[in-house]
Every structure is written in structure tokens, then in C-alpha cells.
Amino acid sequence: MVIVVGNPANTNCLTASKSAPSIPKENFSCLTRLDHNRAKAQIALKLGVTSDDVKNVIIWGNHSSTQYPDVNHAKVKLQGKEVGVYEALKDDSWLKGEFITTVQQRGAAVIKARKLSSAMSAAKAICDHVRDIWFGTPEGEFVSMGIISDGNSYGIPDDLLYSFPVTIKDKTWKVVEGLPINDFSREKMDLTAKELAEEKETAFEFLASA
């Protein structure tokens, strides 16, 4: 398994995969678990629960400020009962606005506040990522991971390294299929795919001329 963390993580991961064609593309992944963890934490904070009480948030796309943190399919445990996040929060404008921008720009905000990078958060996220590859995801839960987009059912162009919701079993990831995507999500997912396609083109032009 090859896990890429250094930015631009998605495009670096795609470049690494292209540079090592003997290694299956499925063995490459990039870290969007840090964003995933941040999205869970923001929801937990808002509802006064722990991060562990929130599950199935999704980071779609690039590990950049165009990423789309999606909680349309996320659940939160309140008073021992699992409730949809939209239903629990009853604050659509926050979920479609400030929540998204906070997660997208969290890394920059941490650096600005601490004058240091969020290295410990990233280290924790890498551990989470590796643990799930090794031991699998819990039943009924999925996590976010940047993986090759080939053959996905969400209309994302092939041959991009894109963050999807995945379940993992026997050290093999599988994209969570069949999640309904509304127009708001569609637009955000396409926007981050467009950025990845542009990054890929720039990177490969540079490699070709190197």
C-alpha cells in the first residue's frame, strides 16, 4: 500500500501511481481522513456530542479548498438513537455554508492560529487511515479516502485521484455505491473534479517536459 500525504496529495498520488505502473492502481491512496475527521468534529461540536457519535460524513474530491464535505448521508447518535445530521441540526444554512467553508479552510486556519502546521492531526488521521486498511471499517460505517476514480458510479471522470466514501474489508477498499446525490452536492462534486483534472494536466505537462 502506498499512502500519499504531501500536498497536492491527490495529484501527487496519481503521479506516483503513473510512475510505478507495476503496482496496482488500487494500492495507491491519498489522505483525506484529516478532512473527514475535521468534518465529524465540527458536527460533534455543534451538537455537543463526541466525534465518535458522528459517522458517515463524506469528503468528495480534492484535499484542497474545493473539497466537498457532505453530511447528507451522515448520522449522529443522540440519546442512544441514530439520527440524520440534517434532521438533528435543523440548520440547513449552516450546513450548506459555514460548515463547508470551515472544513475546507481548516488547515489554513490552524496554521494561522498556531504559526505551525497541524502535524499531530495529520499523524492521527494517517493512523486512522492505515488502521482501517488493515482491520477494515466497522459494519454500517464508511470513511473518506482519495483513490483512483476508474469505474465509479458518481459521474466523476476516470483516471483522477478523487476522494470517495469507501468501506474496507480484507485490506481492499470498495466505493459506497448508490448514495442519492442532490443538485447542491452534484455541483460541488463536479467543481472539485474540475480542479483535479486541471491539476493533473499541469502535472503531466511538467513531467512530459522534464
Side-chain angles (χ1 to χ4, degrees):
M1 284 289 177
V2 180
I3 299 159
V4 177
V5 179
N7 287 326
N10 298 58
T11 300
N12 281 347
C13 189
L14 184 65
T15 305
S17 167
K18 296 282 186 191
S19 306
S22 63
I23 301 174
K25 285 187 276 193
E26 294 74 25
N27 287 21
F28 287 84
S29 60
C30 83
L31 190 75
T32 54
R33 186 58 170 269
L34 179 51
D35 312 297
H36 180 100
N37 288 350
R38 285 168 173 164
K40 282 176 61 170
Q42 290 300 316
I43 298 296
L45 206 57
K46 194 83 168 167
L47 286 166
V49 297
T50 70
S51 274
D52 287 344
D53 292 322
V54 183
K55 71 176 190 183
N56 295 355
V57 305
I58 302 168
I59 303 297
W60 297 101
N62 200 1
H63 175 61
S64 76
S65 59
T66 68
Q67 64 175 261
Y68 170 43
D70 176 7
V71 292
N72 283 290
H73 314 286
K75 305 270 188 210
V76 58
K77 199 182 284 177
L78 291 174
Q79 283 106 41
K81 201 171 76 169
E82 274 194 359
V83 190
V85 163
Y86 266 86
E87 188 190 334
L89 266 172
K90 297 181 177 64
D91 190 346
D92 290 18
S93 62
W94 182 79
L95 284 169
K96 289 183 170 180
E98 194 185 329
F99 162 71
I100 292 173
T101 51
T102 298
V103 178
Q104 286 173 335
Q105 294 163 17
R106 188 67 180 157
V110 169
I111 290 166
K112 192 177 172 190
R114 295 183 69 229
K115 310 288 185 282
L116 292 165
S117 80
S118 51
M120 282 306 290
S121 306
K124 161 80 166 60
I126 294 163
C127 291
D128 292 344
H129 182 109
V130 172
R131 186 190 61 224
D132 284 342
I133 288 173
W134 199 253
F135 296 109
T137 45
E139 192 65 39
E141 286 191 36
F142 48 77
V143 293
S144 306
M145 192 182 278
I147 51 170
I148 195 70
S149 62
D150 294 0
N152 75 88
S153 65
Y154 292 106
I156 305 304
D158 283 354
D159 208 32
L160 292 178
L161 214 294
Y162 191 97
S163 182
F164 289 96
V166 299
T167 54
I168 305 163
K169 193 177 179 185
D170 300 329
K171 302 185 182 62
T172 305
W173 56 257
K174 193 164 180 271
V175 173
V176 177
E177 300 286 5
L179 295 173
I181 303 297
N182 61 29
D183 291 345
F184 179 84
S185 294
R186 181 76 266 161
E187 193 180 326
K188 300 277 187 200
M189 288 161 68
D190 289 347
L191 186 74
T192 191
K194 183 173 180 281
E195 182 184 58
L196 280 170
E198 287 164 1
E199 274 187 26
K200 173 188 166 183
E201 193 180 338
T202 304
F204 288 15
E205 273 173 17
F206 177 77
L207 287 172
S209 64

